[in-house]
Amino acid sequence: MAKVSPSTLVIIVMCCYWATIAASQSMKYKDPKQPLNVRIKDLLSRMTLEEKIGQMTQIDRSVASADVMQKYFIGSILSGGGSVPAKEASPEMWIDMINGFQNGSLATRLGIPMIYGIDAVHGNNNVYKATIFPHNVGLGVTRDPELIKKIGAATALEVRATGINYAFAPCIAVCRDPRWGRCFESYSEDPAIVRQMTELIPGLQGDIPANGRKGVPYVGGKEKVVACAKHFVGDGGTTKGINENNTVISPHNLFSIHMPAYYDSVLKGVATIMISYSSVNGAKMHGDHQLVTNFLKNDVKFRGFVISDWQGIDRITDPPHANYTYSILRSVEAGLDMIMVPLNYTEFIDGLSYLVTNNFIPMSRIDDAVKRILRVKFVMGLFENPLADTTMVKHLGSHEHRELAREAVRKSLVLLKNGRTATEPLLPLPKKSAKILVSGTHADDIGNQCGGWTIEWHGQSGNITIGTTILSAIKNTVDPTTEVVYQENPTPEFIKSNNFSYAIVVTGEHPYSETVGDSLNLTIPEPGPTTITNVCGAVKCVVVLITGRPVVIEPYVSNMDALVAAWLPGSEGQGVADVLYGDYGFTGKLARTWFKTVDQLPMNVGDPHYDPLYPFGFGITTEPVKSS
Ligand code: BGC
Ligand code: BGC
């Protein structure tokens, strides 16, 4: 080995040191010690129009590749509902896929990393074996913001477990009409409850540090994810609850019902806001300069980025995509920063380049969009940690998270009826009986109890992921001497020929998402009503309803001995049995009005024609049974 004198060594070390300093001074955006605005400014000044437009483009996983990322400078990828690398993909497969895409982004001239978004709306729900939390309609019942924050933190860990760093949650819609197919994504008809539940945001993104500024995007590092308040604004107020439709509303009601939770979200540092497909008084939100730029950006001072919904800009015209150049112009002018294109990205990129090159859209608007996107990417530490590793995999579907989901299930149940008379309650049920009957299409079906946005976009009935069905939860809970008979839809003869002590009927709606969930009649599909009638007509019964919203139940209630609204509880069915059998008491209070007939709708608490079957805030409470 050649000998190097100590003095030469000192010179070499000094040279390396100065070279590094010089490089980072010339590439300020790469230096995490530089102030945020210096990094943003430095990077923006280096970018070509092509690179800027790439940042504004979000594409779906199905059309992404490392080459596409590199060639078009794409700023973001998403997984749409059910868009997974493979059926039952392991977290390692997710990580490999995402790192593969990221390496494409890092290989670009400036090496700007992409962010990867997914609808983690009740846990990391597209992912096999993830913990599936109750949908928002159930969480609103808990009125427990601390619990919701913990769910956010757990969801962030499970999202990071798959290498993902951006969740399209929370949905802060205020559903004013249960005929809306997305009512289950809404915490409540009451804006005050929805405001409380924005605690999901610090859960997902982390708490703004004590010396940090409120109201600016904040994402606390590698165990947290970027959140997204959606869908701005008025998505839950459309006429007859028709999805993506028109919200006819006075300014006063728009700002007192649908807007308040956005103030809270911005204050809590939400990094992104998604625009609604719907319109306000006939104006499509995707083209609404007044509400997006003048109000949200200028008045409220939102500093994160505004993202479109999936092909949302296409739907500015009727029929959708009739004039795509116009759609790009209107949406970017309105103030949208990132466009969830998400399939035909070259059409978007070419269209936007044309509009900027020909001065239809000023460069200042493009720079505003890109600055906001880069701000979020810098704040979250993406430049320092662009690649995922397997250290977080252990969090996916962990025991701790399943216990948290189980607690949320317990607190989301609402006891609507308990006994034919108040003096003879049926619940809590005795653990020890000779023989009991469990019935209904939702008693032994993980997919049904999870609802939409689970594994598939619309969810799916059947054994679609790991969890505890309500039937297995009941079996786990009763005394070993109790015989549990399960018949999905038993005949009256069968029931009468057996000597059941009591029956539990678990039935309700089948999974759906978005427009296919719209319903003008809100009836429970057959055989639900038949099962209720047959079982409750023959033996003492409790009905557990699995639904995304209040449904038509009045005709059957007099027949039942007890009725529990369990909403869409998710993978941890044990929480239902915990409360039915008195290990815990019922505490839940309706966060929605339960109507008598659909012709009363819309009907929300405070309305002059208010005449509900069960009013907002109703819920019978029980004490836990003391174990002897
Ligand atoms: C939904 C959004 C969702 C997006 C991405 C849209 O259809 O409206 O809530 O985040 O798809 O899957
Ligand atoms: C996607 C969903 C998206 C929907 C919008 C579906 O193909 O999987 O994520 O919300 O389209 O229409």
Side-chain angles (χ1 to χ4, degrees), residues 578-594:
D578 288 345
V579 183
L580 286 181
Y581 286 94
D583 289 333
Y584 292 82
F586 281 93
T587 54
K589 305 278 185 191
L590 285 180
R592 303 207 60 82
T593 296
W594 206 296

Side-chain angles (χ1 to χ4, degrees), residues 360-416:
F360 290 104
I361 296 176
M363 190 61 88
S364 57
R365 177 66 269 277
I366 300 297
D367 286 348
D368 172 58
V370 177
K371 269 186 212 161
R372 288 166 179 273
I373 294 164
L374 295 179
R375 178 175 299 129
V376 172
K377 290 185 176 183
F378 282 125
V379 163
M380 69 192 280
L382 190 61
F383 284 74
E384 287 68 57
N385 289 299
L387 292 168
D389 58 43
T390 54
T391 50
M392 301 286 286
V393 164
K394 59 177 187 280
H395 295 296
L396 191 83
S398 71
H399 176 72
E400 200 187 333
H401 293 170
R402 291 187 187 277
E403 283 301 307
L404 179 64
R406 177 176 169 183
E407 176 188 352
V409 173
R410 291 194 293 258
K411 292 180 172 170
S412 66
L413 305 175
V414 185
L415 181 56
L416 297 172

Side-chain angles (χ1 to χ4, degrees), residues 355-520:
L355 289 166
V356 180
T357 315
N358 293 88
N359 299 318
F360 290 104
I361 296 176
M363 190 61 88
S364 57
R365 177 66 269 277
I366 300 297
D367 286 348
D368 172 58
V370 177
K371 269 186 212 161
R372 288 166 179 273
I373 294 164
L374 295 179
R375 178 175 299 129
V376 172
K377 290 185 176 183
F378 282 125
V379 163
M380 69 192 280
L382 190 61
F383 284 74
E384 287 68 57
N385 289 299
L387 292 168
D389 58 43
T390 54
T391 50
M392 301 286 286
V393 164
K394 59 177 187 280
H395 295 296
L396 191 83
S398 71
H399 176 72
E400 200 187 333
H401 293 170
R402 291 187 187 277
E403 283 301 307
L404 179 64
R406 177 176 169 183
E407 176 188 352
V409 173
R410 291 194 293 258
K411 292 180 172 170
S412 66
L413 305 175
V414 185
L415 181 56
L416 297 172
K417 177 175 180 177
N418 193 14
R420 304 243 170 192
T421 64
T423 51
E424 288 171 287
L426 178 60
L427 302 180
L429 296 166
K431 289 186 180 174
K432 203 167 176 162
S433 314
K435 188 158 67 167
I436 67 169
L437 172 67
V438 179
S439 302
T441 44
H442 291 53
D444 194 25
D445 193 308
I446 280 287
N448 282 354
Q449 74 191 41
C450 289
W453 295 112
T454 313
I455 305 298
E456 298 290 342
W457 177 30
H458 293 294
Q460 204 172 35
S461 296
N463 202 7
I464 58 171
T465 191
I466 304 298
T468 306
T469 69
I470 295 168
L471 175 65
S472 20
I474 292 167
K475 288 181 177 166
N476 294 339
T477 308
V478 294
D479 189 272
T481 60
T482 303
E483 188 189 344
V484 181
V485 176
Y486 170 58
Q487 277 255 334
E488 191 171 304
N489 190 17
T491 61
E493 295 68 47
F494 173 83
I495 306 166
K496 279 175 199 144
S497 65
N498 276 276
N499 196 13
F500 294 117
S501 309
Y502 62 87
I504 303 174
V505 179
V506 190
T507 193
E509 293 186 306
H510 294 291
Y512 54 78
S513 303
E514 301 191 50
T515 307
V516 299
D518 286 359
S519 168
L520 290 177

